[in-house]
Every structure is written in structure tokens, then in C-alpha cells.
Amino acid sequence: MIKPNKKQSTTDCSRRNFMLKSSLFMGSGAILLSSLKQQVIAAPKILEVPIWSKSIGNPVLHHSYGLPSNFEHQVIRRKSNPDDAPVEYVPSLDQASRSFTPLADLRGVITPNGLFFERYHGGYPNIDPQKHKLIIHGLVKRNLEITVERLKRYPSINKIYFLECSGNSYSNWGENEGSSVQGIHGLVSCAQWTGVPLSLLFREAGIDLDKAKYVIAEGADAPSMARSIAITRALDDVFVAYAQNGEALRAEQGYPLRLIVPGCEGSINIKWLRRLEVTDTPLFSRNETSKYTDLLGNDMARNASLIMEAKSVIIAPSGGQILPEKGFYEIRGFAWSGRGSITAVDVSTDGGKNWQRANISSDIFPKAITEFTFPWQFTGEKAILISRAIDETGYVQPYTQQLLKSRGHNYGYHNNSMQAWEIETNGRVQNVII
Amino acid sequence: MSLFDRGTYYFYLLLLLLLIIGSIRPLLANSCTEQDYCLGIVVSDTYITPWDIDVDPSGHSLPKGSGSYDQGLAIYNQQCIACHGPQGKGGIRMGEKLRPLPQLVNITPLPHKSIGRYWPYATTLFDYIQRAMPFYTPKSLKPDQIYALVAYLLIENNVISKDVILTNENLAEIKMPNRNGFVCDIRPDTFNLACMQDCLTPKDKGFDLGKIVMTDSKSLQADCLLLPE
């Protein structure tokens, strides 16, 4: 049972050897010294037996719906603080606003439901599923009304997909204004969604494939958010979801029903879905004309720029953090692409001059967040960390200056450029825009 | 001729059959032979009307009604001015550092995505006010009030002249200044190679930043929003 001390120390030693080797591999005597120093940091004289080992714990159902440890109370969604956000960046009304996911604290590819980013145009409704219905009409043989309970009886699918607001990373558009990865890039999250393919529901309604060109999707929220989706896309991989990470959708995410349009900007994934109208013409709703269109530098604007292009961001270390000491750190980050799977992520620690392949540290799902890691020693010298995503189409994530040049300064949505974090000699991590 | 001669008998039988078929036809459309799962209930167009609020550029689904500038001004000053400011000039914010609520006319220097400068169709304004405004009490306005507000806002935006009475007949005919300002999305618009060693960055001389890539709006880009020919 009890391992002999001798054996344990051998294991320790071999681990130390491994660390030495990998430090040497990193090619710096300074790193070697610093990691040696860490091994001799004085330990407390003798281990204390803590109070939780000497008293009885909480009973079952202490929380009938489980909560994170109270020591994790800092891991929450946040609004931008108007005091340190760019001028006029924070909306006036909280019902037409957003809150950001704490990316730096996430592990793996799934965003816990309570931390999924929020974005509303008129607050989120509290919908009674007994009274909610999905209506399918327009260019169909039969108008269908489907209750939530009946919808759940259709053959279902489970898919892991990211959702990203097209305004994500807006504060990095040209000006260096955001500071943390949460505040700059926290309008992206990823979940496993459960639902019914639109193609199946349209077949039930008897869609007129000769005339159908678009489907207008509409929510049951106060502003009845509405968008037009090309029928080719609608029949491809779009589905009506009712569950998220194993439980019913959160109200913030569209309870009881929402649309999932994989790889496409968040706003077209209509929440609180109440109506799907098959048409031969787009609606040109306010949120596909006045908003969510991309005004270029030459005064023309792109419409229906739905795809969220390949992007990656290092979440640790990231803006606002301070590395507590020199030594080994695992650089960790997220990569995703609306065009399919991530095929590689590269990391540079010298501001983009030299790059190395990162480890892919999660499963890779198309149009989902993929996690990557990269071993790194902080030597106390200045470093600039950048990650670069490459997707299955061969697309390589660009620099911000390239997007500014090819789109102009009025653009703002769809900023998928590379994030650079400068590590100062004191370990402070700062946002820089390249 | 007797009421019950053979021909008349067949005639009535046929009539009865037609009647029966006619009365179960709506049920036939609901028939489970046409739906694989048959979990949806078949409903009529009339049943859907209260939810069917979208107004596309054809204007076909506009409700009957009309409104003038003066009527719009009165409603605007009652129900909209608190957030969008006098004459839609905006500037209203709920806190010193917060973003002002949307301007509904163009007053800041170009470019601005205001109604008059940016919106391609006037129907969008009707559709949006009908579904979403006023912010705290959406769907509370009657069609005449919405026509009046659309008239008021289009006139403040210098799109139509002050004497126009806006109706379901003429709203869709308004030509917005920026109707042709939209093109399809042709991204990707950057074309990088994954350089691994001694790479240039935008900070270095000789780094190619690229340029604006354009196509015309007839592009076959699958997601594009295009009106039927």
C-alpha cells in the first residue's frame, strides 16, 4: 500500500531530470537556474491537517441544483466597466447590451451554461414552454404549429458548435483599448446543442423547393429579433435546439427554443424562436441592414457576412494578468473557425518573427472551439505571445492591420485578427495590436 | 321527372361525395401519410396572422393604414423623444460614459449608418418599429401610428417631402438613397501563408497589407440577400 520512500524519490528525480532536459531543450542556462531554484523553496515545517478533514461535510441536496465552489466566485460573466472601457463602448440600456465570458478561466472546449456570453436586443424573456409554439409557414404545403413537447419527440441530433457575436473583439479594431481576454474576446462560447434539423421540419411541412429562397427566423422576445437565412444554408446544417450541454437551454440562450446556424454570427442564431417563414425574398430586417452589415472603406457595405472566420486567442497568459514568477508556464488558448475544423495553431513568443506548432489539447470538432497548448518559460525578458489559427480551407488568421487595410476603419464586426499579448519584464501582460 | 329517377339519384350521390371530400380535404393535408412523424398541427393562415408581422421590401404584407408628418411628430414627441432625442438627433445617454442611444437622423460626420444614409429599404423602418419599438412597450402601436412615425422619420432624414401621406400603397415605392450600397460578402479577404521562420510582420517594411476586395451584388455568394429578379 504505502510506497517505499525510495521509489517516490526516484520518481521525483526522474521528473526533475525531465524538467532539466526540457529546460535545456528550450536552450537557456537562465531557465535551468530558475527551475533549480524553485525546487529548493522552503516547505512548511510539517503539513497541517485542515479543518475540512476534521469536520463532517455538507449533506446531499445541500444545493439541489449544484453550484461552483464558492472559491470560484470571481469566475463570472462581466459587462465592460465604463471607467476603463473605450469611450461610448458600453451601451446605455442593459436590455440592449452584452456580457462577456471569462475565457481565461475556462478549460477544454465546453463553456459552462452559466458562463455563456449574453447578447440581447430587448432583454431576455421568461417563456412558459407550455404556451410557446413554433410556427412553420410560407412556401410550404402545410402550415405547422409545433409545441415544445412535440418538438422534442422528433429524431434529434447532438452537436458541439461555437457561437460568436460578430461584434466580438470590436474594441481591438484599430485602437488598443481593451485590456483582458474576457473584455476583448469574451463574446464567444461553445456548447453541445441538442435539437431537430430544419431540413426534417421543412420536409414535414412540405417545403416548396422550387420557390423557396430564404427562411425568415423570428424570436418571441420583445423586439422579435428577425433574420433571413438562405435556404441552401437552412437545409444544410441548421437546426432548432432545445438543450444545451445536457439540460434545457438557459433563458439567456433562448429557452425553450433557438436556432443554431453553425459557424455563423451569433445574431442569426435566433433565440426564443417562434416562427420560421419560408419565402422567395429576404426580409431586409433592421438587424440585417442597419446592423450586422459591414461598411467598407469605400462606402459600400457587405450584407449577410455570416461566417465567423478562423480565429484563435491565447487565454493564458492573457491581458491584465501578472505572471507571479519566472519559470514554466503552459500557454493555452482557443481556436475556432466557422468554415470547419481547425487544422493547426501556431504560436510565436517573439511578436510574430518565428512560429512553432502548438499542441492540440482537445478533440477537434468542426465549427467548435478547439483548445491548444504550448510549453513556455518566462525568463524575465520581454516577450510578445501571439497565436495563429489555420482551418481546413487553408485560411490563415490575419493581423489586425491587414483587416484594417482590406476593410477600412468603419468596419468593426468580424474582427478575427490575431491577438498579441506583451509580457513585460515584471510579468505584467498587456494587449498590443499588430 | 321523378325526384328519384336514376340520373338524379347519381347526381345527388356525386354531390354528396364531393361534399364529403371537400370537408375532409383540410384534414387530408394534415394526413400523416404526408408527414413522416406527424407531430405538427396543421393551422390556417388566418390563425397565424397575429404573429406574421414581417414586412419585406415588396410591401405585400403591409397592413392597411396611413399617416402624416404632423401625426408622426406628435407620437414621436410622446413615445420616442426620451431616448432618441428631439427630431431623432440622438445624444441621449443613461450615464456620462455610456454610449448614446441610436440617432435616427444623420448629424455626425460621415460615414453614419443612419436611416437616410444607410438603410436600403423604407419597409425595414416599418417592420422594425412594428416589431420592436417603443423599446419598453413593443407591439403597442397601431398601423396608422407606425405609418405616421415612418413618415416623420423619413422626412427628418430628407428622404421624402413633408406633404407625403404615407400609406400601405406608397411606402414600398420609396427609393432609399443607399438602395444600391450593399454587396455580397466575398470574404476571405486576406490570403496569408503560414510563415514559420524570420517572418515579416505589419511592423516591418515590405509587409503586404493587402487591399479592399470587391465584387458586384450579383455575386453567387450563397448567403447573400438579394431581391427576386
Side-chain angles (χ1 to χ4, degrees), chain A residues 26-84:
Chain A
M26 300 237 146
S28 155
I31 296 173
L32 177 64
L33 267 179
S34 76
S35 50
L36 272 179
K37 229 190 279 163
Q38 283 188 2
Q39 303 298 322
V40 296
I41 284 173
K45 255 190 215 130
I46 186 163
L47 273 174
E48 202 181 303
V49 179
I51 181 72
W52 46 83
S53 305
K54 294 191 287 192
S55 54
I56 197 70
N58 290 317
V60 295
L61 294 185
H62 184 57
H63 295 300
S64 49
Y65 190 99
L67 296 168
S69 160
N70 52 311
F71 292 98
E72 299 293 315
H73 66 275
Q74 295 278 30
V75 183
I76 50 172
R77 298 187 284 223
R78 288 186 175 82
K79 296 197 297 181
S80 317
N81 176 356
D83 288 329
D84 46 47

Side-chain angles (χ1 to χ4, degrees), chain B residues 129-162:
Chain B
I129 297 174
Q130 174 163 265
R131 67 176 65 245
M133 289 292 140
F135 191 73
Y136 289 124
T137 50
K139 305 180 185 76
S140 61
L141 297 170
K142 302 213 162 58
D144 286 348
Q145 294 178 299
I146 305 172
Y147 283 107
L149 283 166
V150 173
Y152 173 71
L153 289 173
L154 290 180
I155 290 159
E156 289 296 340
N157 275 280
N158 296 322
V159 177
I160 53 176
S161 63
K162 207 160 178 175

Side-chain angles (χ1 to χ4, degrees), chain A residues 142-143 145 150 222 275 293, chain B residues 29 39 45 47 54 118 139:
Chain A
R142 298 169 282 282
N143 300 333
E145 174 184 285
R150 287 271 189 93
R275 193 165 67 93
T293 49
Chain B
L39 293 165
D45 287 342
Y47 174 79
D54 57 289
Y118 194 66
K139 305 180 185 76

Side-chain angles (χ1 to χ4, degrees), chain A residues 314 316-317 328-333 347-349 372-376 385:
Chain A
I314 293 172
F328 177 79
Y329 290 89
E330 181 177 65
I331 292 176
R332 202 158 41 81
V347 167
S348 169
T349 57
F372 64 89
T373 59
F374 186 82
W376 176 63
L385 311 184

Side-chain angles (χ1 to χ4, degrees), chain A residues 238-312:
Chain A
V238 178
F239 63 105
V240 179
Y242 44 79
Q244 168 187 6
N245 294 333
E247 60 179 3
L249 294 174
R250 290 290 169 92
E252 298 99 304
Q253 291 310 319
Y255 183 85
L257 304 176
R258 79 169 306 165
L259 210 57
I260 294 291
V261 187
C264 292
E265 61 186 16
S267 62
I268 203 159
N269 294 254
I270 297 292
K271 297 189 271 189
W272 316 289
L273 183 71
R274 73 169 192 180
R275 193 165 67 93
L276 293 165
E277 181 175 1
V278 181
T279 67
D280 61 355
T281 171
L283 171 56
F284 287 99
S285 70
R286 178 254 187 180
N287 283 310
E288 57 201 17
T289 51
S290 162
K291 296 289 175 286
Y292 303 109
T293 49
D294 298 323
L295 183 56
L296 296 164
N298 62 2
D299 267 1
M300 297 300 280
R302 289 179 186 151
N303 84 30
S305 42
L306 305 184
I307 290 174
M308 301 308 294
E309 296 187 284
K311 183 165 172 179
S312 69

